[in-house]
Amino acid sequence: MEILVVRDNDIDIDIKKCTNILNQICKNVKFKGYNTPINLGNPDTYVDMEKETTILNQKLSHRKRDYTLYVTYRKHPDNYFAHSIRNTMIWSFWGWEYYTNLPLENGLFYIIADILALRIDRSFRHNELTGCIYDFLWEKTGIDIGMKMAHICEGCLERIKNKVEGCKTLEGILMDLVEILNVLSNASRWGKSVFDIYIWMRMHWV
Ligand SMILES: [Zn+2]
């Protein structure tokens, strides 16, 4: 599975550094960053899901990939963090600073974990806030706890074990998901960037 990460030009996030670290953490899923930002709408307009995914996929038609993640600061009309159409997700960082003090790159790791979790199983989401990656996050401030607690709860682990067993692809995705959650929670609970903690973990644990 290969995920291509693309950013809008209204958001300052080091995609290359994120994908480099993700590729070092993950053994099965591959990450690519798109070098240049792609502008799909005016800063003051809402995200138009149908229209923008069509344009995005046209612009990226030369790139081989299994999944496209587009990050923007613009807002979805319903103020959700994300919407997806087939294998394209548009994630809105609108109002990020109101929900958490953690940096955008931690958010990006959370999104990737969310994408992988849903690739394994889409049958269940927690409506309440538990810190499990299967939380729906009806209350957007919950993302702060989500990043700090980043884990798969016992109930979800039991459920997805049945799906994963005997499927090499899903087993690989689950292994990578756990690694991402470990780096994300280790960084976030100390108020640190995933960029800092990754260097620290390599120095002390490897
Ligand atoms: Zn759970």
Side-chain angles (χ1 to χ4, degrees), residues 42-60:
N42 296 319
D44 55 345
T45 55
Y46 288 122
V47 175
D48 183 334
M49 241 352 247
E50 287 282 349
K51 190 174 134 206
E52 292 186 25
T53 39
T54 308
I55 299 171
L56 185 64
N57 285 315
Q58 278 165 0
K59 284 182 188 273
L60 297 171

Side-chain angles (χ1 to χ4, degrees), residues 124 126 130-135 151-157 159:
F124 172 84
H126 295 281
T130 70
C132 171
I133 194 64
Y134 285 98
D135 283 2
H151 74 295
I152 306 170
C153 77
E154 220 176 305
C156 287
L157 204 53
R159 185 185 70 255

